[in-house]
Each structure stands twice: as structure tokens, then as C-alpha cells.
Amino acid sequence: MTTGSIGVETIPQPQKRAGRSVKATLVRLVIHALLILAVIFALLPVVLAFLASFKSLFDFYDNPLGLPATWEWQNYTSVWREAHIASYARNSAIVTFISVPLIVMLSCLAGYGLTRYHFRFSRTIYLYFLAGLLIPIQLTILPSLLQMKALYLVNTHAGLITLYTALGLPFSVFLMAGFMNSMPGELAEAARLDGAGELRAFWDVVVPLTKPALATVAILNGVTIWNEFFLALILSPGTPTLQVGINNLRGYYSTEWGYIFAGVMVAALPVILAYILLTKQFIRGLTAGALKG
Amino acid sequence: MAYSMPHAQPVPNRDRLAVVLGIVATILLLTALLLMNRLESRYAFITLGAFVAVSAVFLAITYSKRPYIAFVFPAVVIYTMFVIFPAGAAFRYSLYNWTGLGPATDFIGFANYTEILRDAQFRGALWNNVQLFLAIFVIQNVIGLPIALALDTKLRGHEFYRSALFLPVIVSLVATAYIWQIILGPNIGMLNPLLEKIGQPDLQRDWLANTFLTFKLIWIVQAWQHIGVPIVIYLAGLQSVPTDLKDSARVDGANGWQVFKGVTFPMLAPAFTIVTISTFIGMFRAFDIPYVLGGPGGAPDGTTDVLSLVIYREAFGLGGIVGTQYRQGYAVAAGVVMFAFLIVAVSVQAVFLRRREVAM
């Protein structure tokens, strides 16, 4: 099929030989126009919020539709210093960058153990993990809160890390086990025959081969944890993550919208920048996340 | 063939010791969990410590013969402790009139559940979740699917379009709710000034405090954030549709719509199943956007209330202060009902959609 005619592939229209190319071009133009419209709808709110984060309060009322009259970088410095955004960002970073390696490590080990050795309960344990996919956080949140209170983990990083890790496991184990199943087992076998121990064979042979799946698990959990709100709001209001922090901004600055949007951008931009750098991996990781359920 | 070991081996003494240690470790873990839920911190810590010590010895003994236990053990323990056990405890708490302070003692049987069935706010919220799901379902199939079809033709810039349309998915829901304030918000929203400018001041509204419109706008905000996922899944599904199948249908004289209906759409059935079920689960768990745009009370007048907000309110009130007296037993029961509803609805959908997949 030539590139020229691909544009009409899926467009409901009778195929008439005469004037086809003109019609095809027109149809293609209309499709492009509609797609551009959709892209504008997708991106405009983010762009507007980005611009708003540089506006002064006066600008918001005097000139609601235009660009900032003067670019107030000070919005960012103020919100960073006054509204504790710096400490929220630290909390988010600590929680995310400890939970994600833990999930990756534990799920990789478990996925390997469940698929590469056929033991009596391997299937049962696999299904046991799958059951966790159906449990909504709204069901477990209050007993979890009690548990965390007993362990003195409320309002601590360790508490959030523990729960995010546990909640990330079912789906990550599912992904890792799926990936390991499709991987040839002979290599680890060979390493073992060469006298490497079980863990050695796992670390030297299996882990490098699973890199794509590890990346998927890391990105999916990283974005999920960085963006998580419900659990952080309930378990850790005293050590707020960025999402809880920016939700509090409304109380902190009742109408200083420039500051509020600067805070929102601090929460959103790291993920957006990472997405721009690693678009393909992000789309793969987060689409895998949609299978959750 | 993967590594396998016959189960009956010599050295029965070590085997027996390992089994005993395994049982002891399990008992210690369960005791620690029970103590945790009774808020008896010190004993919980002691038993947890004992559990770690016993399981370390257990793993050291079994590692040489059954290495898989060491691989699977940490994940299973953490998952059991912090997901499965709280889920089980939730069922127990739902039978108590429990404020959330201290252990639950006031056993009331199924009273929480019968109250939920009569509770107008619960039913209202459930109906809102249903509406939210139906709205997103329609939007992703009426707008998302055609976009996926267009992108599947590999027209120029299709990768850019896909990446741009997916971007909102990675923006957190809290940030999304704020970002939409810039358009809809009462003070800073651009929609009202824009309407003024184009000479339609009569259309100006307080978009986020309108009993009719606000919830519909929440649909749109939720769809904006979510639609990249169905587009990408449909695209992946479309790539599995063989081109020659479409071509041969076309040679047989089918027009574009007939090709779509007869060839492309049936082949998309698995993607359709995944998208529908994942949207269903997502929309029944929705919390962040209604919470930030409408507040914990589901303002205005409960028209933006959803199940997660009901649970949150019953457990923590409108202020969200942990530790004050609320009806946490009732909230947990509401969580159980939500869980049961999700399981039943998802299994029904799965069976129904699978049957459709096979039929087509």
C-alpha cells in the first residue's frame, strides 16, 4: 500500500476512482485539523496553568486571557520558601525513590521464584498476588491506618514507603512473572551449572535480561506513587507529599493564584519532563498499568 | 526445563526443623498482625522481631534445597502484612459500631450494612459513579476510538499526536483539578472572561457551583485526564488487525464503515474489554478530582458526591482530622460494599465481554 492512499483507509466513504486523490487530500486535511484540535484540548490547560504560574495577582484580574504582563519568577521562589514546597518535594522524592527500588527488587525476585522453579504452591501464590489487584484502597485504608498507628508509622516516610511498596507488589509481580515466563530459562541454568549460586545466577544473568520489564515496573510505580493523593492525605498529613501539599496551598494562600500555580507546577513538571525524555517507556509503562483490574 | 528438586530427600532432621520453623514464623506473624490491629505496639514489635529472627533461620536452612522460598518470601510477607491482612480486618470492623479510636468493641452485626442499603447519600454517590463511568465510556469510544483509528493510518505526525494526547495521563489528579480551575474557576477561570469577550455574557456561570453543570464538567475533566490510555490501548489492538484482511474486504466491495464494522471492530474486542473494565474500576475508585473540585462534601448539594468521598467523610468528617470521633465502622462497611460491587460488576462484565469477543 502506498503512503498516499493510506489516509483514506478507515474513513467511511464510498470508493470512487475519479477524484480520489483530491478527496483523499481533503479528508486528510480534515483529520489533521481534528487531531490538532484534540491536541490543543489536551495541552492547553497545562500550558495555561504554566503561564498562570508566572502571573502576578493583578494580572489574573486585569488580563485573564493574555500572557503574563511581567514574568514573576518570584512566585516560584516564594512558594518554595514560604509554603514549605521544598519540604513537600523532599517528602515526595524520598518516598518515591525508596519505594520504587523496593518494589522493583521484591517483584523481580518473586516473579523469578514463581516462574523459574515449578514447586507445589507456585500457581497458588501467583493467584494469591493476583487477588490483590481487586482490593480497592478504600477498603483497606482504615485498618491500615490502625496498623500504622500501632507501629508508630503515621506521619512518617517509612509508613508511606511500607504501604506504597505493599500496594505496588501485586501488579508488579504479575508483570514480572509474565515477562519471566516469556524469557528463555536456559541462561540462568547454564550459569548455575558453571557453579554460580542461585542468587549469583539471578543477579548476573536474569536481572540484566529483564531490564525492559524492570523499567516498566519502575516507571509505572514511580508515576503512581509521585501522583498518589488519597493514602498520603490520610496516613501522612504531618509529612505531606507534594500532592497533599499543593492541595493545602488553597488554605495557605487563599487568592494568591500565581503562587498556587507555581506550587502545582513544581508537583507536575518533574513527571512531565521525564515523560518528554522517555515518552515511549512512559506510554508502555502506564498502559500496562491500565491492565490492572 | 527449569530447576526442580525432588521433594523427598535425605537429611530428614533438617527438613523437619525447617517445617517447624516455618510454622512458628507463620504463627508469630499472625500474632504480630493481631497485636498491631489492637494497637498493642510493644508486643507487636516484640513478636515482629521474633518473626524476623525465626524466618531468617528458616530461610538459611531451606535456601540450599528450595531457593525459590527465599525469592518469593519477602514479597509474600509484605503483601500479606499490609494488603491482605488489612482487607481481612476490614470485614471484621464493618460489624462494629466503631469510632476509630482504640479497638472496636461495640459489636452490632450487620447493622452497618442494612443502614448503607437505606442510606440516600450512599445511593446518590453510587449513581454518580455509574454516571461517571457511562460518560467516560461514551467519550472514550466516540472520541478516543476514532482518534486511534486516525493515528493507526500512520499519517504524518502520528507519533507527536499520540504523545501529546497521552500527556494528561501523567499529570496527577490533584494537579489536574487545579489546572482546570484556570478555565472553570470562579475567580480566575478564563471561560467567563472569554464569553464576555465574544459577546455572550449571558452564558457566564459559576461553573464549579452549579448543581446541574458541575458534575458534567467533572466528567470532562476526568475524560481529559484519562483518554490517552484508551487511545493507546486501542492503537495497540489495531496494530494486531492484519492489513490484508481489510484489503480483501475492500476488494469484495465493502466501504470504509463496513470494513470497520465487519473486520476492524471485532478484532478490537480484546482491547475493548480491557479498556472498558479498566475504566470501570478507575471511575468507581475516583476520589481526587471530585475532592479537589467539589470538596469532601460533594458540593454543590452533593451533586458531585462519589463513593470514595462518602467513605472519606464517614471516616474523617469534613475537616479530615485524624483521631476525632467518627463512624469508621460504617465507613469500612461502605468500603466492603464497594469492593463487593466492584467484584460482581467486573466479573459480569468480563464474562459478558468475553462472550462477545468469542461470538464475533
Side-chain angles (χ1 to χ4, degrees):
Chain A
M1 181 131 297
T2 61
T3 18
S5 58
I6 284 180
V8 292
E9 262 303 283
T10 51
I11 304 309
Q13 58 151 354
Q15 299 282 310
K16 288 198 188 103
R17 290 279 151 218
R20 181 174 171 181
S21 65
V22 177
K23 204 163 189 177
T25 318
L26 252 168
V27 166
R28 223 172 31 235
L29 279 177
V30 171
I31 292 178
H32 273 292
L34 291 174
L35 282 173
I36 287 169
L37 218 65
V39 166
I40 290 175
F41 180 73
L43 298 186
L44 193 65
V46 180
V47 174
L48 290 177
F50 180 72
L51 292 176
S53 70
F54 290 101
K55 282 188 173 179
S56 66
L57 186 59
F58 178 73
D59 243 8
F60 269 104
Y61 295 101
D62 189 50
N63 170 28
L65 298 174
L67 293 172
T70 48
W71 291 71
E72 298 280 350
W73 286 94
Q74 179 225 333
N75 286 350
Y76 280 84
T77 50
S78 306
V79 85
W80 188 260
R81 264 184 285 115
E82 288 168 24
H84 317 293
I85 285 287
S87 78
Y88 303 155
R90 217 184 95 237
N91 292 336
S92 276
I94 291 175
V95 168
T96 308
F97 289 109
I98 297 181
S99 308
V100 169
L102 277 174
I103 295 173
V104 169
M105 197 180 74
L106 291 170
S107 62
C108 187
L109 280 168
Y112 180 68
L114 287 176
T115 52
R116 283 291 138 217
Y117 303 87
H118 295 275
F119 56 99
R120 211 181 323 164
F121 299 114
S122 53
R123 181 87 195 143
T124 318
I125 295 177
Y126 176 72
L127 292 174
Y128 177 64
F129 274 112
L130 281 199
L133 294 180
L134 278 172
I135 299 175
I137 179 73
Q138 288 84 347
L139 174 69
T140 56
I141 183 73
L142 290 170
S144 290
L145 180 63
L146 214 60
Q147 254 187 340
M148 292 292 131
K149 275 185 190 160
L151 296 173
Y152 300 108
L153 289 177
V154 175
N155 286 332
T156 62
H157 295 141
L160 278 184
I161 290 168
T162 311
L163 271 182
Y164 284 149
T165 306
L167 291 165
L169 278 177
F171 191 65
S172 306
V173 169
F174 167 71
L175 276 183
M176 290 309 303
F179 188 84
M180 303 259 184
N181 251 338
S182 66
M183 214 177 63
E186 290 83 20
L187 281 166
E189 193 84 344
R192 248 186 252 115
L193 290 179
D194 286 347
E198 300 292 335
L199 272 175
R200 188 88 293 208
F202 171 74
W203 186 251
D204 287 349
V205 180
V206 178
V207 171
L209 284 175
T210 20
K211 266 187 193 146
L214 296 178
T216 300
V217 168
I219 287 174
L220 170 62
N221 285 294
V223 175
T224 310
I225 293 171
W226 183 272
N227 286 344
E228 206 282 334
F229 176 61
F230 186 67
L231 206 98
L233 175 74
I234 289 168
L235 273 178
S236 188
T239 44
T241 59
L242 270 173
Q243 308 303 330
V244 179
I246 61 172
N247 180 56
N248 295 342
L249 281 179
R250 223 172 2 170
Y252 196 89
Y253 301 112
S254 53
T255 53
E256 286 283 1
W257 285 97
Y259 291 175
I260 293 178
F261 278 103
V264 171
M265 283 297 130
V266 172
L269 280 180
V271 190
I272 293 179
L273 290 178
Y275 173 71
I276 291 170
L277 288 176
L278 297 166
T279 312
K280 282 228 169 80
Q281 286 86 339
F282 266 71
I283 293 181
R284 194 185 325 119
L286 288 161
T287 316
L291 302 169
K292 205 185 282 191
Chain B
M1 180 56 217
Y3 185 88
S4 66
M5 264 309 196
H7 282 288
Q9 280 268 313
V11 211
N13 278 337
R14 284 188 64 162
D15 265 15
R16 212 168 295 149
L17 180 62
V19 170
V20 170
L21 285 173
I23 293 170
V24 171
T26 312
I27 293 171
L28 283 170
L29 178 64
L30 290 177
T31 319
L33 285 168
L34 288 169
L35 290 168
M36 262 184 238
N37 262 35
R38 298 184 62 85
L39 287 170
E40 294 181 38
S41 304
R42 195 194 309 166
Y43 302 108
F45 279 114
I46 294 170
T47 36
L48 259 188
F51 163 73
V52 171
V54 171
S55 42
V57 179
F58 164 73
L59 286 180
I61 292 175
T62 50
Y63 177 68
S64 58
K65 275 182 63 185
R66 297 195 174 85
Y68 49 82
I69 295 185
F71 283 118
V72 178
F73 190 81
V76 170
V77 169
I78 289 175
Y79 167 65
T80 307
M81 268 178 89
F82 296 106
V83 179
I84 293 294
F85 193 81
F91 289 98
R92 197 173 73 82
Y93 285 123
S94 71
L95 305 176
Y96 288 81
N97 178 17
W98 176 50
T99 59
L101 277 183
T105 46
D106 184 8
F107 184 82
I108 53 169
F110 288 95
N112 282 327
Y113 291 98
T114 50
E115 196 186 333
I116 285 172
L117 294 180
R118 281 183 276 111
D119 187 349
Q121 67 161 355
F122 187 88
R123 265 180 312 195
L126 181 64
W127 173 234
N128 280 347
N129 280 110
V130 173
Q131 287 183 328
L132 186 59
F133 162 68
L134 290 176
I136 307 297
F137 175 78
V138 169
I139 293 173
Q140 73 196 11
N141 288 307
V142 172
I143 298 176
L145 182 55
I147 288 180
L149 287 168
L151 295 182
D152 188 49
T153 61
K154 301 271 183 293
L155 77 174
R156 191 178 300 162
H158 66 100
E159 290 206 344
F160 164 75
Y161 288 132
R162 188 189 61 158
S163 311
L165 291 169
F166 194 80
L167 182 108
V169 175
I170 60 152
V171 176
S172 80
L173 291 161
V174 180
T176 299
Y178 267 117
I179 285 171
W180 277 83
Q181 292 262 353
I182 196 101
I183 292 165
L184 304 171
N187 306 314
I188 53 158
M190 294 181 171
L191 194 52
N192 283 338
L194 190 71
L195 288 170
E196 175 96 54
K197 206 162 197 178
I198 60 170
Q200 301 287 343
D202 298 349
L203 292 176
Q204 291 183 344
R205 296 272 184 293
D206 189 350
W207 301 102
L208 296 180
N210 186 308
T211 46
F212 177 74
L213 277 174
T214 304
F215 193 55
K216 276 87 189 160
L217 290 168
I218 285 180
W219 301 350
I220 293 177
V221 176
Q222 199 94 41
W224 175 83
Q225 205 270 345
H226 175 78
I227 202 161
V229 173
I231 289 175
V232 170
I233 295 178
Y234 279 142
L235 253 180
L238 285 170
Q239 256 132 46
S240 70
V241 181
T243 329
D244 39 335
L245 216 62
K246 284 190 277 184
D247 286 347
S248 60
R250 222 175 264 282
V251 169
D252 290 347
N255 66 28
W257 171 246
Q258 285 165 335
V259 173
F260 175 73
K261 207 169 145 260
V263 181
T264 316
F265 193 66
M267 299 286 280
L268 265 185
F272 185 78
T273 307
I274 291 169
V275 164
T276 305
I277 292 181
S278 76
T279 300
F280 185 85
I281 294 176
M283 294 311 134
F284 272 82
R285 292 178 178 183
F287 174 76
D288 306 18
I289 289 179
Y291 179 86
V292 180
L293 281 181
D301 284 343
T303 49
T304 63
D305 212 7
V306 288
L307 288 179
S308 298
L309 284 179
V310 173
I311 294 173
Y312 180 82
R313 259 199 325 268
E314 291 295 345
F316 305 111
L318 288 170
I321 304 148
V322 178
T324 347
Q325 296 237 342
Y326 297 109
R327 300 198 301 160
Q328 301 208 337
Y330 186 80
V332 175
V336 174
V337 173
M338 179 178 168
F339 173 57
F341 182 80
L342 269 179
I343 288 197
V344 172
V346 168
S347 348
V348 168
Q349 283 181 55
V351 170
F352 177 73
L353 292 171
R354 282 278 141 67
R355 190 172 303 153
R356 214 187 103 257
E357 270 175 37
V358 175
M360 298 212 311

